[in-house]
Amino acid sequence: MALARHDVIVVGAGVVGLSTALYLRRAGLDVAVVDPLPPAGGASFGNAGLISPDTAVPIALPGMLPKVPRWLMDPLGPLSVRPSYFLRALPWLLRWVESGRLHRVLAISDAMRALHREAMDCWRELLGPELYRELFRPLGQVHVWEGGGDTSNAKLERQIRERHGIDTETLAADDLRQMFPGIAREVTHGLLVPGNGFTVSPQRSVQALGKLFAHEGGALINERAMKLIPDEGGWMLMTNTANRAANHVVIAAGAWSLQLLEPLGIKLPLETERGYHATLFDPEVVPPLPISNKTRAFGMTPMEDGIRVAGTVEIAGLDAPPNEQRAKILVQHARRMFPGLSGKDVRYWMGFRPSTPDSLPILGAASGRPGLHFAFGHGHFGMTGGPPSGRLVARMIVGQPTGIDPAPYAAQRFR
C-alpha cells in the first residue's frame, strides 16, 4: 500500500510549528503537523506570554565570562549550570560568550529587530481581529531595577534601542508607584517600552492556531516522530505508529529538534535553557501590564487565570528532573517586589527553551538536503519570533519574497 504523501509535514505543534503550518496551509499546500502532544503542550504553554516586537537585545552581552564561576556555585541563581552537565554544555557556553562580543551583539540585534518588529501584525494576521483582541494586549512592558541597578550594559542597551528607533519612557520611583500601587520601595526606577505587549493566555493563543489550522483543512496528528529518512525525492517520517511521507519536512520540535537531525549527521549548537514559572491564582495584587525585574532576572505577567511569575535559566539538559526550588524562589521574588501579594494557590512548572548561542533562531533550508527545513532555536523569544519565523519559512518553501534577509538565521552561520 502506497504511503499517502503530504506536501509538507511540520514536526512540532508549538507556536513556531503551528505558525509555519498555518501560513503554508493558507498558501494552498497539503500540510500535516506531527506532535505527541496537542497544541501548547511544551514551552508554548509555560512561557511568560511576552510579545516583544520592540526588543532587540540578545541574551549574551559583553562581560559574561567572569560570571561563569558564580553560576556554578549558586544553584538557585538567575542563571545556573548544573556541575554534572557543565562539560557537555561547555562548547555551547563558549560560543555564547563569543556571541557577547560588541560587534556580534550589534549584528545580532539587527537580525532580532528585523524578525521581531512585525510580531503583533503576524499574530493578528494568523488569528484574525476578533481572536487577537480577545487574547492580546498591546499595552507595553515595564522593566524595573532595585537600588542602583546593574548598569554594566545600560549604555549598550540604550545604543541598541536608539539604533533601531525603539521608543521608551524613563520611569522614576513616583511614576512606578502610580503605575503599580503597592510596589516595594526597593524598586527605584524603570523603563516603559510601549511598543511591546503580552497575551493573557499563551496556551489559548497557541491552541487557537491549532484550531484554525484544523478548521482550514490541515491535519493535526498526535504521534511521536522517531526518525527522518530520505525517500524518493522527499522524506519519510517514522512515528511511533505510522510511516508518513512528504515532499518537505519542517523541523520545529523545539529543544527536541536535534534528536531527529543528529542521525542525519546534522550537528547544530542547540542547548536547553530550562525555564520555570509559578502561577499565582486569585492574587491580591495584579499589575496592569508585564513588569520585568532586571535586578533579580524575573518577570510578572497578568493573565486571565492569575499572575504568572517567570524567569531564570538552568543549563541541565533534557533529562534531569525539575528543581522546584527555582520556581519557589520566583514566588519569593514576586512577594518581595509586591509585599501585599500572598498568592496562596500556586502552580509550579518547568519547560525547555530551545536556545542558540546568539539568541537567533535557526530558520530555512538544510544545506545539501532538499526538502528539509529548520524552524527552531527561539530561546526566550518564541511567542514573539514564532509567527514571523513561520511566515518566513513558509515563504521560502513556496518561493515567495521573504520580506527580510533570511541569511542571519541560516544554519550555515554555525560552520
Side-chain angles (χ1 to χ4, degrees):
M1 180 177 176
L3 289 177
R5 194 176 197 92
H6 300 280
D7 292 326
V8 186
I9 291 175
V10 178
V11 181
V15 62
V16 181
L18 287 171
S19 296
T20 307
L22 190 50
Y23 274 116
L24 287 167
R25 180 65 197 133
R26 289 177 178 175
L29 276 64
D30 177 351
V31 186
V33 173
V34 175
D35 194 298
L37 297 174
S44 292
F45 165 82
N47 60 79
L50 303 179
I51 315 297
S52 306
D54 279 359
T55 294
V57 178
I59 303 299
L61 295 171
M64 290 291 187
L65 186 59
K67 299 179 181 180
V68 172
R70 188 170 76 241
W71 299 338
L72 289 171
M73 297 299 292
D74 184 3
L76 298 179
L79 192 156
S80 73
V81 183
R82 289 201 184 184
S84 60
Y85 193 76
F86 178 72
L87 289 179
R88 183 169 176 180
L90 183 59
W92 186 90
L93 289 169
L94 292 175
R95 283 179 176 261
W96 187 59
V97 171
E98 177 67 22
S99 297
R101 296 182 183 275
L102 180 59
H103 73 284
R104 289 288 296 125
V105 168
L106 294 177
I108 291 166
S109 79
D110 293 345
M112 288 181 69
R113 178 63 167 165
L115 186 67
H116 290 173
R117 68 185 310 157
E118 295 186 2
M120 289 289 190
D121 295 333
C122 287
W123 273 109
R124 188 184 298 108
E125 183 177 59
L126 287 169
L127 295 178
E130 185 175 343
L131 273 173
Y132 176 80
R133 285 193 299 270
E134 178 183 341
L135 292 166
F136 287 81
R137 304 289 183 269
L139 303 175
Q141 299 169 12
V142 170
H143 302 166
V144 299
W145 289 262
E146 298 178 12
D150 181 3
T151 59
S152 57
N153 283 300
K155 182 178 179 181
L156 174 58
E157 293 185 22
R158 183 169 60 252
Q159 178 184 351
I160 290 172
R161 292 194 297 269
E162 292 173 352
R163 180 184 182 93
H164 299 296
I166 295 172
D167 293 329
T168 58
E169 180 183 339
T170 301
L171 301 173
D174 288 344
D175 300 320
L176 292 172
R177 307 285 172 266
Q178 292 180 24
M179 292 182 70
F180 304 101
I183 197 168
R185 293 194 174 277
E186 288 86 352
V187 180
T188 57
H189 59 289
L191 191 73
L192 171 65
V193 187
N196 287 342
F198 65 104
T199 172
V200 297
S201 175
Q203 180 182 31
R204 283 213 299 131
S205 297
V206 178
Q207 286 175 341
L209 295 177
K211 290 176 182 177
L212 286 167
F213 173 69
H215 178 73
E216 295 177 28
L220 281 172
I221 300 169
N222 290 133
E223 297 172 1
R224 183 178 300 278
M226 305 288 286
K227 189 173 183 180
L228 197 57
I229 302 169
D231 177 60
E232 298 181 359
W235 295 88
M236 193 262 283
L237 181 69
M238 293 178 61
T239 76
N240 59 313
T241 60
N243 294 171
R244 301 188 177 278
N247 300 324
H248 298 269
V249 172
V250 179
I251 304 300
W256 290 269
S257 295
L258 292 189
Q259 292 182 354
L260 286 171
L261 296 176
E262 286 182 341
L264 296 172
I266 298 172
K267 297 186 182 299
L268 293 166
L270 185 74
E271 188 50 78
T272 300
E273 292 188 43
R274 296 148 59 99
Y276 291 79
H277 88 220
T279 297
L280 283 68
F281 300 95
D282 298 320
E284 298 86 350
V285 177
V286 180
L289 67 165
I291 178 169
S292 297
N293 187 312
K294 295 298 185 178
T295 303
R296 300 186 183 275
F298 79 98
M300 301 173 63
T301 305
M303 294 191 177
E304 60 186 10
D305 57 356
I307 295 175
R308 180 164 294 179
V309 188
T312 78
V313 170
E314 180 186 39
I315 307 294
L318 288 167
D319 299 324
N323 180 359
E324 73 280 2
Q325 294 302 319
R326 294 186 66 82
K328 291 180 178 180
I329 287 289
L330 293 171
V331 178
Q332 294 179 24
H333 288 338
R335 290 171 178 163
R336 178 188 177 104
M337 190 159 69
F338 288 96
L341 179 64
S342 64
K344 297 178 182 178
D345 187 7
V346 183
R347 179 191 64 210
Y348 302 114
W349 178 90
M350 187 274 287
F352 303 96
R353 302 184 188 100
S355 297
T356 64
D358 59 7
S359 298
L360 296 174
I362 299 172
L363 307 174
S367 179
R369 292 174 174 82
L372 181 61
H373 310 268
F374 304 143
F376 56 85
H378 291 76
H380 296 248
F381 305 103
M383 292 298 285
T384 299
S389 294
R391 185 176 66 177
L392 175 63
V393 172
R395 286 174 173 176
M396 295 173 74
I397 290 173
V398 301
Q400 295 176 346
T402 57
I404 63 172
D405 180 7
Y409 322 104
Q412 289 79 3
R413 72 186 190 269
F414 292 119
R415 284 178 177 172

